[in-house]
Amino acid sequence: MPDALRYAAIMLAAGIGIPLLAALNAQLGARIGSPAVAAVVLFCVALGGAVAAMMVTTGPSAIARLPGQPWYLFLAGLLVAFYVISITFVAPKFGVGNAVFFVLLGQMISAAMIDQFGLFGAMIRPITLMRGAGIGCMCLGLFLIQKA
């Protein structure tokens, strides 16, 4: 399997997981009466999974390089926490589909800007007329599936 196809399949699976994560964690938060506690449980389970993946792949040696990294790279953890807590809180009140629709819209806007300017070391992919039209069509498609 070519790398591009394998990467696409992995990201498709990750995309499928986002609404599942939202629905499952929203249900847990609603059942226990605390989206924040549900998020803590999710992060504990995720930590276990990440540690297992680390041990199977590189091992813990890369941890020693953490102190030399720019502080802003660690903000990703806060963004994950914000996403998980917000989707856990909002999805039961707004609907998983609506919540994920706006998450996807935000992801498309943010990803396009990161690619346009090569932010955080990303490969530069300018927003050409064709790419802009494609992003616009995706936005329109997301909007239309909410109305169906």
Side-chain angles (χ1 to χ4, degrees):
M1 174 184 289
D3 283 347
L5 190 57
R6 185 172 63 243
Y7 297 152
I10 290 168
M11 296 319 300
L12 179 64
I16 290 168
I18 288 174
L20 292 172
L21 177 157
L24 294 170
N25 223 47
Q27 184 63 214
L28 179 62
R31 285 177 176 248
I32 64 175
S34 175
V37 171
V40 169
V41 170
L42 179 138
F43 287 122
C44 288
V45 173
L47 176 62
V51 167
M54 174 187 69
M55 296 309 288
V56 170
T57 58
T58 63
S61 62
I63 292 173
R65 292 190 296 273
L66 286 174
Q69 303 310 309
W71 65 269
Y72 60 85
L73 296 179
F74 297 96
L75 293 176
L78 292 177
L79 293 171
V80 170
F82 175 72
Y83 167 74
V84 169
I85 293 169
S86 63
I87 199 87
T88 302
F89 176 75
V90 170
K93 299 167 176 55
F94 193 48
V96 171
N98 287 333
V100 171
F101 164 78
F102 283 100
V103 167
L104 291 172
L105 184 59
Q107 286 176 332
M108 288 178 13
I109 294 166
S110 180
M113 291 298 103
I114 290 169
D115 285 354
Q116 169 72 24
F117 299 108
L119 301 176
F120 312 112
M123 179 175 60
I124 295 176
R125 292 196 60 223
I127 301 175
T128 62
L129 183 60
M130 185 67 78
R131 190 161 186 239
I135 292 169
C137 287
M138 289 177 69
C139 289
L140 179 61
L142 288 171
F143 178 76
L144 291 174
I145 65 170
Q146 292 301 18
K147 297 296 181 185

